Amino acid sequence: MMTASTKLSALFAAKHDGQPSATHPYDVTLILIALALMSIGVVIVTSASMPVADRLHDNPFYFAIRHGIYIVGAIIAAMVVLNLPMQFWRMTNPYLLLAAIALLLAVLVVGRTVNGSTRWLAIGPITIQAAEPAKLFFFAYLAGYLVRRYEEVTENLKGFIKPLVVFFALAMLLLLQPDLGTVVVMFATTIGLLFLAGARLWQFFALVFAGILAVVALIVFEEYRMKRVTSFLDPWADPFGAGYQLTQSLMAYGRGNWFGQGLGNSLQKLEFLPEAHTDFVMAILAEELGFVGVLAVLGLILWMVLRALSIGNKALDKGRAFDGYMAYSIGIWFSFQTAVNIGASAGILPTKGLTLPLVSYGGSSLIIMSVAVAILLRIDFELRVDGVQAIGRGDGKDGKKRARRKKPISSNEAQAKETAIPRTKTEKNTDDEDFSSSTVEAKPATKKSTAEDEGKAGIKAILARVAQEADNG
């Protein structure tokens, strides 16, 4: 038996040695992109926050240290989520939606108000921006809904409207904070997912038109939003009033030119530009690293979004609809939030308080974005190992479904069957003795054998058969 095992190992080695090694279980490219964006964020946040940190806390690295702690927490959270199977998100997405609603309600009741907005929950030294997990939980619910009610969404108006009712409820809670930027991002992701899920075009265009009307109404009937829009259209009309932040941001972009003023050499971060390390971090990056630096960050985020959409396509091709819609939602979310953040700082869109994914300062945003990347990695991991299963112990359903192995036929018996020559009783006994010397004797029919014993006997018989054929050859 040892000889047969050695020969079988040699045959396996001869066939497989020299072949390229197996692919990585995770998407290494996606990991490197996320780490690159985090690294750029550490550098730019440190540079942009030093003047204001020195004035407020007598420590120029105050915000840089906190940002580093947030990154460690984000990596730990991502590693935890990476070990959660996608089945967890499929089963719990309705409960996650309830958790999102509870967080948004808690903010309105016991939230902390900063600059006129009530968006944060203070739990001891930890501050949570409830809108960030609410976005992720809503997208998980929406992906689950599209799987459960796919026919309703694509065939009748009722199924199309149901997720919009849920979105409307969340949007009302967000507008009470107020937080129009998050509502716009969630709305764009919702219509994008409904369109990719196969909603009818007239429904899609009607939803887009209704959404635009709603946003216009929210701007017109709120004075401070109207001032933002008018200052966006002509910021130089009031450069020291409503248009101050945008004009300072535009000056930062202008000073950056092609290759920037050099790392640490920004002038606008010297408390000329408010929120330089949070919502307007891209303006400081543009001033210090120039157009090349901005293009590099945009290229990394675009690469991540394309990877997310590619993972979503692969998931749908393999029949994993929930995983595909979840990957799509993350890709749309990242791309649209990036567009709003950079568009606001560059004067293309009205000013909105949205962070740049994985770059801006902010613990809640950084952790939730890292969790979203971990979900993408988990989806890709399950796609790579799809269909690969470990050999079970033979109990349960697998053991019942496993086919019974047939008794191997010796070479003498095969010749006897081919020539159809009847054998005597002595010949049969001789053949049985030859067979028993090279295979495991079958157990009596009266004793019920387990699937594990049958599997072991079959493996031993295969090894013996390989050895016998090698000797005959």
Side-chain angles (χ1 to χ4, degrees), residues 64-119:
I65 293 172
R66 290 176 65 90
H67 191 67
I69 295 173
Y70 293 151
I71 287 180
V72 173
I75 293 175
I76 293 174
M79 293 176 65
V80 172
V81 172
L82 192 58
N83 288 280
L84 293 177
M86 290 307 298
Q87 183 67 20
F88 168 81
W89 299 95
R90 296 189 199 102
M91 299 298 295
T92 61
N93 63 82
Y95 306 104
L96 293 177
L97 176 65
L98 295 178
I101 296 174
L103 285 172
L104 296 178
L105 288 173
V107 166
L108 298 177
V109 177
V110 295
R112 176 185 294 177
T113 302
V114 178
N115 295 331
S117 299
T118 307
R119 302 179 185 177

Side-chain angles (χ1 to χ4, degrees), residues 410 412-417 420-432:
S410 63
N412 292 336
E413 289 178 346
Q415 289 179 354
K417 288 184 178 181
I421 300 176
R423 297 185 300 166
T424 61
K425 183 177 181 181
T426 306
E427 291 174 341
K428 290 180 180 179
N429 292 336
T430 303
D431 292 338
D432 291 340

